[in-house]
Amino acid sequence: MITENLPDDLSLPALLLDLDAFDQNCKMIAEKANGKTIRIASKSIRSVPVLKRIFESNEVFKGLMCYSPYEAIFLAEQGFDDILLGYPCWDPEALAQIAALNGAGKQITCMVDSMEQIRHLNKISEKVNGLIFVCIDVDMSTTFGSLHFGVRRSPLKTENDVIRLAMVIKDSPNLKFLGVMGYEAQIAGVGDRLPSQQVKNHVVTMLKKKSIHTIKRRRERIVRALEKEGLKPVLVNGGGTGSLNTTSKEECVTELTAGSGFYSPLLFDYYRDFHFKPALFFALQVVRKPASNIYTCLGGGYIASGPHGKDKVPQPVYPPGGKLLSFEGAGEVQTPVYYERETLEIGDPIIFRAAKAGEICERFDEILCVDQQQVVDRYLTYRGEGKCFL
Ligand SMILES: Cc1ncc(COP(=O)(O)O)c(C=O)c1O
């Protein structure tokens, strides 16, 4: 783990990748494939060299799931192919470029969950005499009484909902139906081993168990119905890091998605059935000591997205025992850290982990790759390539 003996001359703040931990994560994730391929969720990586390192690690990694159309275009230009946009997009200029790239031999697939999107895609694709591959997003959320367990994405839940759209895609001359995606966020993105939250953990575990069963049946029904209509999907995508163990067991799923597990940020410490290695860190520099036991670092306020809460705040991990101050937290330009025992000097580094995986890359131009406490390589982030998607 990246802890001691960072080179003295490092320019801080710096983003650090522990290559040994990262490579172990690649291996552990690959081992969960259960005969399927694993698509990489680029939002949780946000660095071209890191994506390449994952692909080189194992053949099981196949294809990318992007979050923005311009990101898909950028990655296609970098030589990547088989790119699935995980979310619908409307931007006519980007879609026209995608249709043209596909017409020239690339495979970039757009996500839809409504007739308006399908009509829009076909109109644009027709205009440039191109081709857009299309995937239908299926809602995988579950309900228990008045409780909605899952995320608000697609309105499509039943086989009839999906077939209605798939038929229209099939009859659209400049579109090609590829398959379906269903993201069970309530399994993949919800921790069930949260510290000091026994009751919540128990309820979430129970709800997850029930949901897994419903999801499996829903996906099977949809795939079977599509086959019956002569619309056999070549792609049935499911899951995320937090559901690799369960989604991989579904027979009708052809491919899994994973992203966060490669860096394994703080939020992924709290799952019952898997443990990846913390691999991505950032180092801040102590620049002043406002009181005894308090060491204030420059930078640090890299708060993760999602419902606001303490769990979205980065945490100091080395030297161990550091605590953020409740009144200041991780600040916009400086972050005080309290240590009961540690004696740090001005200029010393404090190592942190972020709550989520990819977002932290938006704060840094490069990732310093560390092996045996030495910086052995530097990987550009999207930001370092001058790119900002969304
Ligand atoms: C459609 C979709 N699939 C998969 C994932 C899983 O990504 P990760 O493995 O980074 O949690 C996400 C994350 O939000 C997603 O939106």
Side-chain angles (χ1 to χ4, degrees):
M1 167 148 149
I2 290 174
T3 51
E4 304 153 80
N5 306 328
L6 278 179
D8 286 341
D9 55 353
L10 271 191
S11 184
L12 303 184
L15 189 58
L16 308 166
L17 185 65
D18 181 330
L19 286 183
D20 184 48
F22 180 79
D23 290 344
Q24 285 187 55
N25 290 342
C26 292
K27 192 162 173 283
M28 284 191 279
I29 292 172
E31 282 165 0
K32 291 184 184 291
N34 195 27
K36 307 183 192 300
T37 57
I38 300 179
R39 190 175 284 279
I40 306 170
S42 63
K43 77 171 183 64
S44 306
I45 304 294
R46 301 189 198 218
S47 163
V48 169
V50 178
L51 292 173
K52 287 185 177 160
R53 190 175 181 104
I54 299 171
F55 282 122
E56 280 159 17
S57 73
N58 198 304
E59 284 183 354
V60 91
F61 298 117
K62 205 172 153 289
L64 287 167
M65 178 180 286
C66 286
Y67 55 97
S68 128
Y70 284 109
E71 182 206 9
I73 293 162
F74 167 69
L75 291 173
E77 286 165 357
Q78 300 283 314
F80 292 96
D81 205 356
D82 186 1
I83 300 170
L84 174 66
L85 267 153
Y87 319 86
C89 64
W90 193 263
D91 185 321
E93 172 55 35
L95 289 169
Q97 286 187 38
I98 287 174
L101 280 166
N102 285 338
K106 282 283 180 189
Q107 186 178 308
I108 303 174
T109 305
C110 292
M111 195 61 64
V112 299
D113 59 31
S114 74
M115 284 299 178
E116 294 100 291
Q117 294 154 352
I118 295 171
R119 281 194 287 268
H120 185 64
L121 293 186
N122 192 52
K123 203 166 97 192
I124 290 168
S125 190
E126 212 171 10
K127 226 189 225 171
V128 297
N129 196 21
L131 173 68
I132 297 185
F133 298 95
V134 183
C135 180
I136 297 178
D137 191 350
V138 182
D139 177 29
M140 285 291 144
S141 64
T142 39
T143 43
F144 301 101
S146 60
L147 175 74
H148 180 261
F149 193 44
V151 285
R152 301 288 187 179
R153 297 193 183 204
S154 168
L156 312 173
K157 248 190 170 67
T158 67
E159 51 272 50
N160 286 343
D161 292 341
V162 175
I163 283 172
R164 210 164 48 87
L165 264 62
M167 292 284 200
V168 177
I169 298 167
K170 186 182 148 212
D171 293 338
S172 304
N174 291 71
L175 303 182
K176 183 167 169 52
F177 174 67
L178 270 202
V180 290
M181 180 198 78
Y183 175 48
E184 55 270 55
Q186 72 274 37
I187 315 294
V190 180
D192 47 12
R193 206 180 58 106
L194 307 173
S196 324
Q197 300 207 36
Q198 248 72 317
V199 177
K200 186 174 175 191
N201 288 338
H202 185 71
V203 173
V204 169
T205 305
M206 203 180 68
L207 294 179
K208 278 190 173 194
K209 218 171 180 181
K210 287 187 173 206
S211 286
I212 287 164
H213 190 60
T214 310
I215 289 162
K216 181 171 181 286
R217 277 189 316 177
R218 190 181 303 166
R219 210 163 0 223
E220 261 170 22
R221 268 204 316 269
I222 289 169
V223 171
R224 239 183 279 128
L226 283 166
E227 284 170 355
K228 227 166 121 194
E229 294 293 333
L231 292 159
K232 185 177 163 60
V234 293
L235 175 162
V236 181
N237 178 289
T241 295
S243 75
L244 286 171
N245 287 348
T246 51
T247 316
S248 62
K249 293 204 180 86
E250 287 188 40
E251 213 173 295
C252 71
V253 167
T254 62
E255 56 170 55
L256 311 162
T257 299
S260 301
F262 297 101
Y263 291 153
S264 196
L266 288 171
L267 282 172
F268 283 79
D269 288 352
Y270 306 120
Y271 285 75
R272 223 169 263 277
D273 69 346
F274 64 87
H275 297 280
F276 298 119
K277 305 253 175 201
L280 193 65
F281 301 83
F282 62 90
L284 303 181
Q285 198 142 42
V286 175
V287 290
R288 55 186 174 187
K289 300 199 234 178
S292 59
N293 303 89
I294 296 183
Y295 304 92
T296 298
C297 302
L298 195 62
Y302 317 137
I303 313 300
S305 59
H308 304 169
K310 282 193 181 143
D311 61 340
K312 301 297 165 9
V313 177
Q315 293 299 330
V317 292
Y318 192 84
K323 287 191 173 42
L324 298 183
L325 307 185
S326 56
F327 189 62
E328 289 192 53
E332 185 177 356
V333 283
Q334 58 167 37
T335 300
V337 183
Y338 173 80
Y339 279 100
E340 198 172 316
R341 288 207 181 82
E342 202 62 43
T343 328
L344 297 175
E345 301 298 332
I346 289 178
D348 282 348
I350 297 182
I351 313 282
F352 290 72
R353 286 172 69 204
K356 289 176 84 171
E359 289 174 353
I360 187 75
C361 292
E362 300 296 341
R363 297 293 191 147
F364 294 88
D365 284 346
E366 58 180 9
I367 304 173
L368 308 189
C369 302
V370 179
D371 189 25
Q372 317 272 347
Q373 309 297 336
Q374 298 291 322
V375 176
V376 294
D377 212 343
R378 287 167 184 261
Y379 288 167
L380 288 182
T381 59
Y382 283 177
R383 173 183 154 144
E385 311 234 24
K387 300 292 175 192
C388 173
F389 304 111
L390 304 182

